[in-house]
mmCIF file of all heavy atoms in Angstrom:
data_model
loop_
_atom_site.group_PDB
_atom_site.id
_atom_site.type_symbol
_atom_site.label_atom_id
_atom_site.label_comp_id
_atom_site.label_asym_id
_atom_site.label_seq_id
_atom_site.Cartn_x
_atom_site.Cartn_y
_atom_site.Cartn_z
ATOM 1 N N LEU B 278 -52.445 48.219 42.865
ATOM 2 C CA LEU B 278 -53.639 48.058 43.752
ATOM 3 C C LEU B 278 -54.038 49.423 44.221
ATOM 4 O O LEU B 278 -53.225 50.124 44.805
ATOM 5 C CB LEU B 278 -53.208 47.123 44.894
ATOM 6 C CG LEU B 278 -54.292 46.882 45.940
ATOM 7 C CD1 LEU B 278 -55.467 46.118 45.349
ATOM 8 C CD2 LEU B 278 -53.717 46.087 47.119
ATOM 9 N N SER B 279 -55.292 49.720 44.010
ATOM 10 C CA SER B 279 -55.778 51.026 44.513
ATOM 11 C C SER B 279 -55.948 50.873 46.031
ATOM 12 O O SER B 279 -56.370 49.810 46.513
ATOM 13 C CB SER B 279 -57.174 51.290 43.911
ATOM 14 O OG SER B 279 -57.838 52.273 44.627
ATOM 15 N N PRO B 280 -55.604 51.936 46.788
ATOM 16 C CA PRO B 280 -55.798 51.882 48.245
ATOM 17 C C PRO B 280 -57.288 51.560 48.613
ATOM 18 O O PRO B 280 -57.486 50.881 49.560
ATOM 19 C CB PRO B 280 -55.350 53.307 48.632
ATOM 20 C CG PRO B 280 -54.464 53.746 47.608
ATOM 21 C CD PRO B 280 -54.902 53.138 46.337
ATOM 22 N N ALA B 281 -58.185 52.010 47.791
ATOM 23 C CA ALA B 281 -59.565 51.748 48.070
ATOM 24 C C ALA B 281 -59.983 50.317 47.896
ATOM 25 O O ALA B 281 -60.906 49.812 48.546
ATOM 26 C CB ALA B 281 -60.489 52.618 47.139
ATOM 27 N N ASP B 282 -59.175 49.528 47.196
ATOM 28 C CA ASP B 282 -59.416 48.045 46.938
ATOM 29 C C ASP B 282 -58.498 47.223 47.857
ATOM 30 O O ASP B 282 -58.557 45.996 47.811
ATOM 31 C CB ASP B 282 -59.158 47.728 45.517
ATOM 32 C CG ASP B 282 -60.115 48.411 44.591
ATOM 33 O OD1 ASP B 282 -61.244 48.681 45.059
ATOM 34 O OD2 ASP B 282 -59.741 48.798 43.462
ATOM 35 N N ALA B 283 -57.677 47.816 48.662
ATOM 36 C CA ALA B 283 -56.732 47.120 49.504
ATOM 37 C C ALA B 283 -57.417 46.466 50.722
ATOM 38 O O ALA B 283 -58.628 46.805 50.918
ATOM 39 C CB ALA B 283 -55.583 47.997 49.955
ATOM 40 N N HIS B 284 -56.764 45.611 51.404
ATOM 41 C CA HIS B 284 -57.343 44.984 52.628
ATOM 42 C C HIS B 284 -57.735 46.085 53.567
ATOM 43 O O HIS B 284 -57.193 47.148 53.684
ATOM 44 C CB HIS B 284 -56.333 44.109 53.261
ATOM 45 C CG HIS B 284 -56.816 43.219 54.310
ATOM 46 N ND1 HIS B 284 -57.031 43.618 55.563
ATOM 47 C CD2 HIS B 284 -57.056 41.858 54.300
ATOM 48 C CE1 HIS B 284 -57.506 42.673 56.344
ATOM 49 N NE2 HIS B 284 -57.534 41.518 55.571
ATOM 50 N N ALA B 285 -58.784 45.783 54.363
ATOM 51 C CA ALA B 285 -59.347 46.756 55.318
ATOM 52 C C ALA B 285 -58.213 47.271 56.276
ATOM 53 O O ALA B 285 -58.239 48.437 56.693
ATOM 54 C CB ALA B 285 -60.490 46.185 56.063
ATOM 55 N N ASP B 286 -57.332 46.373 56.656
ATOM 56 C CA ASP B 286 -56.258 46.748 57.516
ATOM 57 C C ASP B 286 -55.337 47.774 56.894
ATOM 58 O O ASP B 286 -54.824 48.701 57.510
ATOM 59 C CB ASP B 286 -55.478 45.498 57.999
ATOM 60 C CG ASP B 286 -56.213 44.626 58.995
ATOM 61 O OD1 ASP B 286 -57.136 45.180 59.621
ATOM 62 O OD2 ASP B 286 -55.842 43.443 59.071
ATOM 63 N N VAL B 287 -55.039 47.625 55.652
ATOM 64 C CA VAL B 287 -54.233 48.573 54.894
ATOM 65 C C VAL B 287 -54.901 49.907 54.806
ATOM 66 O O VAL B 287 -54.299 50.958 55.121
ATOM 67 C CB VAL B 287 -53.931 48.047 53.467
ATOM 68 C CG1 VAL B 287 -53.200 49.088 52.675
ATOM 69 C CG2 VAL B 287 -53.129 46.756 53.568
ATOM 70 N N ARG B 288 -56.213 49.941 54.551
ATOM 71 C CA ARG B 288 -56.952 51.168 54.428
ATOM 72 C C ARG B 288 -56.937 51.818 55.832
ATOM 73 O O ARG B 288 -56.765 53.049 55.958
ATOM 74 C CB ARG B 288 -58.386 50.939 54.048
ATOM 75 C CG ARG B 288 -58.500 50.287 52.689
ATOM 76 C CD ARG B 288 -59.889 50.512 52.006
ATOM 77 N NE ARG B 288 -60.900 49.897 52.887
ATOM 78 C CZ ARG B 288 -61.309 48.617 52.795
ATOM 79 N NH1 ARG B 288 -60.775 47.839 51.923
ATOM 80 N NH2 ARG B 288 -62.322 48.224 53.596
ATOM 81 N N GLU B 289 -57.076 51.088 56.877
ATOM 82 C CA GLU B 289 -57.164 51.622 58.234
ATOM 83 C C GLU B 289 -55.780 52.254 58.614
ATOM 84 O O GLU B 289 -55.688 53.362 59.137
ATOM 85 C CB GLU B 289 -57.445 50.514 59.323
ATOM 86 C CG GLU B 289 -57.362 50.981 60.739
ATOM 87 C CD GLU B 289 -57.654 49.832 61.723
ATOM 88 O OE1 GLU B 289 -58.318 48.849 61.357
ATOM 89 O OE2 GLU B 289 -57.095 49.932 62.895
ATOM 90 N N VAL B 290 -54.681 51.558 58.309
ATOM 91 C CA VAL B 290 -53.351 52.083 58.664
ATOM 92 C C VAL B 290 -53.078 53.341 57.856
ATOM 93 O O VAL B 290 -52.632 54.297 58.442
ATOM 94 C CB VAL B 290 -52.304 50.982 58.405
ATOM 95 C CG1 VAL B 290 -50.901 51.577 58.424
ATOM 96 C CG2 VAL B 290 -52.387 49.928 59.494
ATOM 97 N N LEU B 291 -53.311 53.333 56.631
ATOM 98 C CA LEU B 291 -53.035 54.505 55.792
ATOM 99 C C LEU B 291 -53.891 55.713 56.231
ATOM 100 O O LEU B 291 -53.376 56.879 56.266
ATOM 101 C CB LEU B 291 -53.230 54.179 54.302
ATOM 102 C CG LEU B 291 -52.253 53.219 53.702
ATOM 103 C CD1 LEU B 291 -52.646 52.953 52.249
ATOM 104 C CD2 LEU B 291 -50.866 53.734 53.772
ATOM 105 N N ALA B 292 -55.137 55.472 56.619
ATOM 106 C CA ALA B 292 -55.968 56.538 57.102
ATOM 107 C C ALA B 292 -55.476 57.092 58.381
ATOM 108 O O ALA B 292 -55.486 58.320 58.655
ATOM 109 C CB ALA B 292 -57.381 56.008 57.253
ATOM 110 N N ARG B 293 -55.014 56.222 59.322
ATOM 111 C CA ARG B 293 -54.472 56.678 60.570
ATOM 112 C C ARG B 293 -53.118 57.461 60.327
ATOM 113 O O ARG B 293 -52.892 58.454 61.043
ATOM 114 C CB ARG B 293 -54.257 55.505 61.511
ATOM 115 C CG ARG B 293 -53.718 55.824 62.866
ATOM 116 C CD ARG B 293 -54.690 56.795 63.607
ATOM 117 N NE ARG B 293 -54.173 57.078 64.921
ATOM 118 C CZ ARG B 293 -54.330 58.274 65.527
ATOM 119 N NH1 ARG B 293 -54.980 59.287 64.896
ATOM 120 N NH2 ARG B 293 -53.879 58.501 66.736
ATOM 121 N N CYS B 294 -52.308 57.021 59.361
ATOM 122 C CA CYS B 294 -51.178 57.817 59.039
ATOM 123 C C CYS B 294 -51.392 59.204 58.617
ATOM 124 O O CYS B 294 -50.745 60.155 59.019
ATOM 125 C CB CYS B 294 -50.333 57.052 58.036
ATOM 126 S SG CYS B 294 -49.506 55.528 58.515
ATOM 127 N N ASP B 295 -52.459 59.341 57.777
ATOM 128 C CA ASP B 295 -52.865 60.677 57.401
ATOM 129 C C ASP B 295 -53.373 61.524 58.541
ATOM 130 O O ASP B 295 -52.972 62.711 58.652
ATOM 131 C CB ASP B 295 -53.992 60.532 56.322
ATOM 132 C CG ASP B 295 -53.544 60.035 54.986
ATOM 133 O OD1 ASP B 295 -52.303 60.083 54.717
ATOM 134 O OD2 ASP B 295 -54.343 59.572 54.181
ATOM 135 N N GLU B 296 -54.082 60.931 59.436
ATOM 136 C CA GLU B 296 -54.532 61.647 60.637
ATOM 137 C C GLU B 296 -53.326 62.110 61.499
ATOM 138 O O GLU B 296 -53.276 63.262 62.004
ATOM 139 C CB GLU B 296 -55.472 60.760 61.510
ATOM 140 C CG GLU B 296 -56.796 60.463 60.860
ATOM 141 C CD GLU B 296 -57.603 59.391 61.685
ATOM 142 O OE1 GLU B 296 -56.962 58.916 62.700
ATOM 143 O OE2 GLU B 296 -58.754 59.187 61.346
ATOM 144 N N LEU B 297 -52.341 61.217 61.660
ATOM 145 C CA LEU B 297 -51.172 61.570 62.531
ATOM 146 C C LEU B 297 -50.299 62.573 61.862
ATOM 147 O O LEU B 297 -49.680 63.413 62.484
ATOM 148 C CB LEU B 297 -50.395 60.239 62.810
ATOM 149 C CG LEU B 297 -51.087 59.424 63.874
ATOM 150 C CD1 LEU B 297 -50.548 57.998 63.850
ATOM 151 C CD2 LEU B 297 -50.957 59.965 65.260
ATOM 152 N N ARG B 298 -50.223 62.581 60.499
ATOM 153 C CA ARG B 298 -49.473 63.514 59.742
ATOM 154 C C ARG B 298 -50.031 64.940 60.065
ATOM 155 O O ARG B 298 -49.262 65.869 60.317
ATOM 156 C CB ARG B 298 -49.476 63.284 58.278
ATOM 157 C CG ARG B 298 -48.616 64.277 57.479
ATOM 158 C CD ARG B 298 -48.692 63.964 55.996
ATOM 159 N NE ARG B 298 -47.778 64.810 55.193
ATOM 160 C CZ ARG B 298 -48.060 66.057 54.905
ATOM 161 N NH1 ARG B 298 -49.264 66.588 55.188
ATOM 162 N NH2 ARG B 298 -47.219 66.790 54.201
ATOM 163 N N ALA B 299 -51.351 65.072 59.985
ATOM 164 C CA ALA B 299 -51.978 66.358 60.305
ATOM 165 C C ALA B 299 -51.799 66.763 61.706
ATOM 166 O O ALA B 299 -51.518 67.884 62.085
ATOM 167 C CB ALA B 299 -53.437 66.319 59.998
ATOM 168 N N GLU B 300 -51.998 65.782 62.640
ATOM 169 C CA GLU B 300 -51.874 66.067 64.105
ATOM 170 C C GLU B 300 -50.475 66.445 64.480
ATOM 171 O O GLU B 300 -50.310 67.251 65.407
ATOM 172 C CB GLU B 300 -52.325 64.765 64.857
ATOM 173 C CG GLU B 300 -52.434 64.992 66.369
ATOM 174 C CD GLU B 300 -52.892 63.672 67.000
ATOM 175 O OE1 GLU B 300 -53.383 62.721 66.336
ATOM 176 O OE2 GLU B 300 -52.800 63.601 68.230
ATOM 177 N N THR B 301 -49.455 65.984 63.863
ATOM 178 C CA THR B 301 -48.072 66.280 64.237
ATOM 179 C C THR B 301 -47.464 67.407 63.321
ATOM 180 O O THR B 301 -46.239 67.609 63.377
ATOM 181 C CB THR B 301 -47.241 65.010 64.145
ATOM 182 O OG1 THR B 301 -47.145 64.561 62.786
ATOM 183 C CG2 THR B 301 -47.678 63.930 65.033
#
């Protein structure tokens, strides 16, 4: 399953994880 085709909640969580990785 491509992340782009995943449920909106999955896309939201993975995007926030990327933001937090950069922030920390």
Side-chain angles (χ1 to χ4, degrees):
L278 177 66
S279 166
D282 296 328
H284 191 281
D286 289 339
V287 174
R288 299 198 303 271
E289 177 184 332
V290 164
L291 292 178
R293 183 60 178 143
C294 287
D295 288 341
E296 293 173 353
L297 286 162
R298 182 182 185 278
E300 187 177 346
T301 63

